[in-house]
Amino acid sequence: MLKRLAAMGVLAASQMLLALLLYRSAFEAYRQVVGGIRRDISYGLQLHHSLYLFGALALFNAIWQMSCRSRRSGVIGACACMLLWTLFWANAFASMPYRSLLVVGIGTLVLALPALALLFRFARPGSVAVPQPGIAS
């Protein structure tokens, strides 16, 4: 039980760190290539508040992915997180479409990674050879 909780915590923390790292890297690369960006206080406040939301979504996603019993369940949980993340940023697309697309794209990518890894967790029926009792291999 403790091992499972630790795995959920590591998965949630890695999602948050990966999202932060990707956003900072992409933002810095854009700033180096294009130059200064427009400072918008409402966008900065939304970005600040989104850190809390993304942390909650990453935690929920980690718990869901570690607790699900099927691929479909894992995909549904990841899609629910990605939908909430996109809806949170829907209002910012009108004023800053590129930065909003960057944040939403990175968030959905990072939230989808555990569901993609989930595909490797479940084997297709018949693909794994199961030894049968009484038959020597």
Side-chain angles (χ1 to χ4, degrees), residues 4 8 12 15 20 23 51 63 71 77 84 88 108 113 117 133 136:
R4 189 177 196 99
M8 288 177 192
Q15 287 180 65
L20 183 65
Y23 177 76
L51 294 175
I63 292 170
R71 288 181 190 168
L84 288 172
F88 179 78
T108 55
L113 286 177

Side-chain angles (χ1 to χ4, degrees), residues 41-61:
I41 189 80
S42 63
Y43 186 85
L45 285 173
Q46 186 163 351
L47 187 63
H48 177 73
H49 294 302
S50 74
L51 294 175
Y52 300 115
L53 175 66
F54 191 81
L57 289 175
L59 183 63
F60 173 77
N61 194 26

Side-chain angles (χ1 to χ4, degrees), residues 9-115:
V10 167
L11 182 59
S14 64
Q15 287 180 65
M16 289 184 279
L17 288 174
L18 182 62
L20 183 65
L21 178 73
L22 287 174
Y23 177 76
R24 295 278 184 183
S25 300
F27 183 77
E28 187 62 30
Y30 177 83
R31 195 177 67 74
Q32 292 293 326
V33 171
V34 177
I37 60 162
R38 186 178 105 197
R39 300 281 182 191
D40 189 356
I41 189 80
S42 63
Y43 186 85
L45 285 173
Q46 186 163 351
L47 187 63
H48 177 73
H49 294 302
S50 74
L51 294 175
Y52 300 115
L53 175 66
F54 191 81
L57 289 175
L59 183 63
F60 173 77
N61 194 26
I63 292 170
W64 189 277
Q65 297 301 325
M66 297 296 288
S67 302
C68 70
R69 301 273 185 233
S70 68
R71 288 181 190 168
R72 183 179 299 157
S73 176
V75 170
I76 288 171
C79 287
C81 290
M82 290 185 282
L83 179 67
L84 288 172
W85 182 247
T86 304
L87 289 176
F88 179 78
W89 283 100
N91 68 329
F93 277 103
S95 62
M96 298 182 131
Y98 296 126
R99 284 182 72 186
S100 300
L101 185 64
L102 173 70
V103 173
V104 169
I106 287 173
T108 55
L109 172 72
V110 170
L111 290 170
L113 286 177

